[in-house]
Amino acid sequence: MLNVRRHAVGRIVLDKGFATEKDIEKALSVQKVTKEPLLKILIDTGVLTEEQAAQVLADQWGLQYVNLLNYPVDKESLRLLDPERARYYGIFVLKKEGKKVHVAISDPTNIEAMDYLRLTLGNNIAFYVSTRAAINQAIEKYYEMESALKQAEEEAGPTPEVIKQEEELDITKLKQLGEEAPVIRLVNNIISQAIVEGASDIHVEPLELSLRVRYRIDGILYEKQTFPKTIQPGIISRFKIMANMDIAEKRVPQDGRISLKFEGRKIDFRASSLPTVYGEKIVLRILDKSKALMPLEKLGFSAENLKKFEEIIDQPYGMVLISGPTGSGKTTTLYSALHRLNTPTRNIITVEDPVEYQIRGINQVQVNDKAGLTFASALRSILRQDPDIILIGEIRDGETARIAIESALTGHLVFSTIHTNDSASIPTRLIDMGIEPFLVASSLIGATAQRLIRKVCNYCKKPYRPDSDVLQNLSSQTSVNLEDIDFYKGEGCDKCNHTGYKGRVAINEILPITPAVQKLIMKNASSREIAEQAKKEGMKTLLDDALTKAAEGLTTIEEVLRVVSTIEGGVE
């Protein structure tokens, strides 16, 4: 069936840069003894990943590699294959165009699978190569989800009655709906697919006639699934049961937490419910500890900014504040700093709302407003626990700010977050909260601001020239040289879900509180004056850092404008 010319596996692996000649020679030595295929040996010895092996296999047989995660599958074509046979042979139908059927296969050398496909689909087949794991995930996502959805609809009953009587369902019925096997499979699929696609949040939203599921990936929301209204009570109840929420209470917002194991690693979810006119909306924030506890060097700091930040956090006492909107990576930066400072000789205590990631060796306190345990009251208590370093989740009011500053002035290193547009606005924000300027100047040792900016996809990046008027406008606002630079943007491919972007990196603005800046704070100077002085002393603004990353080919000018345009003093 495959009328193509085979190529040598070792040569393809070397050409793609997946391994060295030494790796190939070692694998060939093993092959002489075991007689196993070279690709299998390279995978077993950890030289190649399954995805790399699939790309090599595709090249070997002159076929196209396909990433099933982002491939637009034709659901109607799924009926052409039996799901059990598809799983057994490692095959998956992508689409049917006219008489030609497009099929992904994990092993083009599997003669039994080829015979089955020829008998079932005929000879007019276009083959693609994908990994066995990706094919299994696609089978689970499409076949099993369709089956579970159909079952859940049948068990839910007619649409009008469910919608009208939703508020009258008793707790027993709600619990029963949430524990039915089809609903459990649907919810598990929603969660697992979000993790596989690298989402940070899952939004389950009741609409007038349906239930919508969206994932936030790299800061942008994408609609992924739409379910019939009939199964809304079951899906919402299942999420609430998993998060230990009160399933009978649908009139007020609730918070909860879910812990699951996915492919051997523990992942936590922060769950939130919100009553809307069409039912309760559920949002899950995915808290993957493996992504949170990253070394500072991998967060996206430039060499200059990293050095400044490390000098600030290495101080024995004082207050360090990070500003930025929700979802800008503030928590990750703070946890990475604590992870760096976490030694047996230091007593580190945090006060958070909520505790997002549990870190070994650090004492973490969960705020509980209902029980009277606020940021302020918790801070007063932990000061009697002999701490060296204190992390406060957020400075929200003058009382918390005052206690944090007093802690910094009495020999503690204090970390926290605050909402301002840039680093120069942090001192003025504290003064607006009622803190005397001399206390701010004496306690604050570092003010930083950050955002997350999407990175250009490495698989489809191409050089391009941004609009000259835009570059000219940006050049007037930055010290970064934008002339004669090769900028890059992604054309869109399977790897990046055809967005041109894959992953995110932080952009930072580090403001050390120098004697000159202290004097300005004491005089209650404006944030603009503070910023001007900081720039004279070498501070790189958020815009500077973002444009530097664009000039390095990490992001695009369009993404810089999207993220930085709302910053005070930034691009209008």
Side-chain angles (χ1 to χ4, degrees), residues 451-470:
R451 303 287 189 275
L452 290 177
I453 199 163
R454 290 185 295 170
K455 294 194 293 185
V456 174
C457 174
N458 281 326
Y459 295 94
C460 61
K461 67 190 297 185
K462 301 286 182 186
Y464 84 114
R465 189 67 188 166
D467 186 274
S468 57
D469 290 340
V470 171

Side-chain angles (χ1 to χ4, degrees), residues 513-528:
I513 308 301
T514 62
V517 173
Q518 277 184 322
K519 286 178 183 177
L520 287 174
I521 296 171
M522 294 275 282
K523 288 164 50 181
N524 200 4
S526 69
S527 59
R528 188 173 294 276

Side-chain angles (χ1 to χ4, degrees), residues 424-433 440 521 524-527 530:
S425 300
I426 290 176
T428 56
R429 175 75 179 119
L430 291 170
I431 293 168
D432 289 342
M433 286 180 170
V440 176
I521 296 171
N524 200 4
S526 69
S527 59
I530 294 171

Side-chain angles (χ1 to χ4, degrees), residues 298-528:
K298 293 190 176 180
L299 295 184
F301 284 104
S302 66
E304 182 183 344
N305 278 342
L306 179 61
K307 184 181 177 185
K308 285 182 180 178
F309 189 68
E310 287 177 329
E311 287 173 354
I312 290 170
I313 68 172
D314 281 340
Q315 299 302 309
Y317 55 84
M319 184 164 65
V320 182
L321 295 184
I322 299 180
S323 73
T326 302
S328 61
K330 300 187 299 294
T331 301
T332 299
T333 301
L334 285 174
Y335 278 15
S336 295
L338 288 189
H339 192 59
R340 167 76 64 89
L341 300 171
N342 186 15
T343 64
T345 61
R346 292 188 175 109
N347 179 21
I348 303 176
I349 305 179
T350 74
V351 184
E352 303 169 69
D353 183 23
V355 173
E356 292 195 1
Y357 303 96
Q358 294 170 12
I359 309 174
R360 186 177 179 182
I362 292 179
N363 308 283
Q364 295 171 273
V365 178
Q366 170 84 46
V367 166
N368 187 340
D369 289 326
K370 290 180 182 177
L373 185 61
T374 62
F375 275 117
S377 62
L379 270 172
R380 290 193 201 94
S381 298
I382 67 174
L383 284 172
R384 294 191 288 271
Q385 292 283 317
D386 187 31
D388 297 297
I389 299 171
I390 300 168
L391 182 145
I392 306 162
E394 184 184 345
I395 291 181
R396 298 175 178 172
D397 52 53
E399 185 182 10
T400 306
R402 188 169 292 279
I403 299 171
I405 285 172
E406 288 172 0
S407 303
L409 291 172
T410 53
H412 304 92
L413 184 60
V414 179
F415 292 94
S416 191
T417 67
I418 194 166
H419 284 287
T420 65
N421 279 340
D422 54 25
S423 59
S425 300
I426 290 176
T428 56
R429 175 75 179 119
L430 291 170
I431 293 168
D432 289 342
M433 286 180 170
I435 307 300
E436 292 82 354
F438 78 90
L439 287 177
V440 176
S442 304
S443 60
L444 190 64
I445 58 172
T448 79
Q450 74 176 54
R451 303 287 189 275
L452 290 177
I453 199 163
R454 290 185 295 170
K455 294 194 293 185
V456 174
C457 174
N458 281 326
Y459 295 94
C460 61
K461 67 190 297 185
K462 301 286 182 186
Y464 84 114
R465 189 67 188 166
D467 186 274
S468 57
D469 290 340
V470 171
L471 286 179
Q472 191 174 351
N473 182 33
L474 288 169
S475 294
S476 66
Q477 303 180 57
T478 181
S479 58
V480 179
N481 177 27
L482 300 178
E483 292 183 11
D484 302 321
I485 298 291
D486 289 328
F487 293 96
Y488 288 86
K489 73 187 305 182
E491 292 187 321
C493 64
D494 288 344
K495 294 280 187 182
C496 60
N497 205 14
H498 300 280
T499 63
Y501 297 97
K502 183 73 174 175
R504 288 189 291 177
V505 66
I507 55 172
N508 308 93
E509 183 177 281
I510 312 293
L511 170 59
I513 308 301
T514 62
V517 173
Q518 277 184 322
K519 286 178 183 177
L520 287 174
I521 296 171
M522 294 275 282
K523 288 164 50 181
N524 200 4
S526 69
S527 59
R528 188 173 294 276

Side-chain angles (χ1 to χ4, degrees), residues 4-24:
V4 292
R5 184 168 60 88
R6 290 182 57 184
H7 301 280
V9 169
R11 175 49 52 195
I12 297 169
V13 172
L14 289 173
D15 289 346
K16 285 186 169 292
F18 290 161
T20 63
E21 288 191 17
K22 189 176 179 181
D23 292 325
I24 301 297

Side-chain angles (χ1 to χ4, degrees), residues 142-352:
Y142 291 102
Y143 286 106
E144 295 190 12
M145 199 160 190
E146 288 293 316
S147 169
L149 181 56
K150 189 175 179 182
Q151 250 187 293
E153 283 187 87
E154 289 171 356
E155 293 175 12
T159 305
E161 285 75 12
V162 173
I163 294 174
K164 288 178 183 176
Q165 297 174 16
E166 186 180 359
E167 293 299 323
E168 299 170 14
L169 291 173
D170 61 28
I171 187 169
T172 307
K173 177 63 176 172
L174 282 172
K175 192 170 183 181
Q176 181 185 337
L177 284 170
E179 292 181 344
E180 287 173 350
V183 169
I184 291 173
R185 279 156 54 200
L186 283 174
V187 169
N188 287 350
N189 190 280
I190 290 170
I191 292 173
S192 63
Q193 199 61 30
I195 297 170
V196 168
E197 295 195 27
S200 60
D201 300 86
I202 303 171
H203 290 243
V204 184
E205 303 168 308
L207 304 179
E208 185 178 6
L209 300 175
S210 62
L211 183 70
R212 177 173 68 176
V213 175
R214 294 192 289 173
Y215 298 159
R216 188 176 294 280
I217 302 171
D218 292 338
I220 308 294
L221 273 173
Y222 297 95
E223 185 170 326
K224 290 294 177 178
Q225 293 146 347
T226 302
F227 297 112
K229 194 75 173 177
T230 46
I231 64 172
Q232 178 177 311
I235 287 181
I236 299 298
S237 294
R238 177 60 188 166
F239 276 111
K240 292 177 74 174
I241 288 169
M242 292 175 74
N244 289 317
M245 294 180 184
D246 183 352
I247 59 172
E249 180 55 79
K250 293 179 283 182
R251 298 164 298 177
V252 297
Q254 295 184 64
D255 293 315
R257 203 174 182 94
I258 301 170
S259 286
L260 297 172
K261 273 203 169 182
F262 182 79
E263 294 182 351
R265 71 182 194 269
K266 183 184 175 187
I267 297 179
D268 291 333
F269 302 81
R270 194 176 73 215
S272 168
S273 73
L274 180 73
T276 73
V277 291
Y278 297 123
E280 288 179 284
K281 173 178 176 176
I282 301 288
V283 173
L284 265 62
R285 166 63 59 90
I286 302 174
L287 307 171
D288 189 345
K289 190 184 288 187
S290 65
K291 294 180 181 178
L293 296 180
M294 294 172 65
L296 286 172
E297 295 81 6
K298 293 190 176 180
L299 295 184
F301 284 104
S302 66
E304 182 183 344
N305 278 342
L306 179 61
K307 184 181 177 185
K308 285 182 180 178
F309 189 68
E310 287 177 329
E311 287 173 354
I312 290 170
I313 68 172
D314 281 340
Q315 299 302 309
Y317 55 84
M319 184 164 65
V320 182
L321 295 184
I322 299 180
S323 73
T326 302
S328 61
K330 300 187 299 294
T331 301
T332 299
T333 301
L334 285 174
Y335 278 15
S336 295
L338 288 189
H339 192 59
R340 167 76 64 89
L341 300 171
N342 186 15
T343 64
T345 61
R346 292 188 175 109
N347 179 21
I348 303 176
I349 305 179
T350 74
V351 184
E352 303 169 69

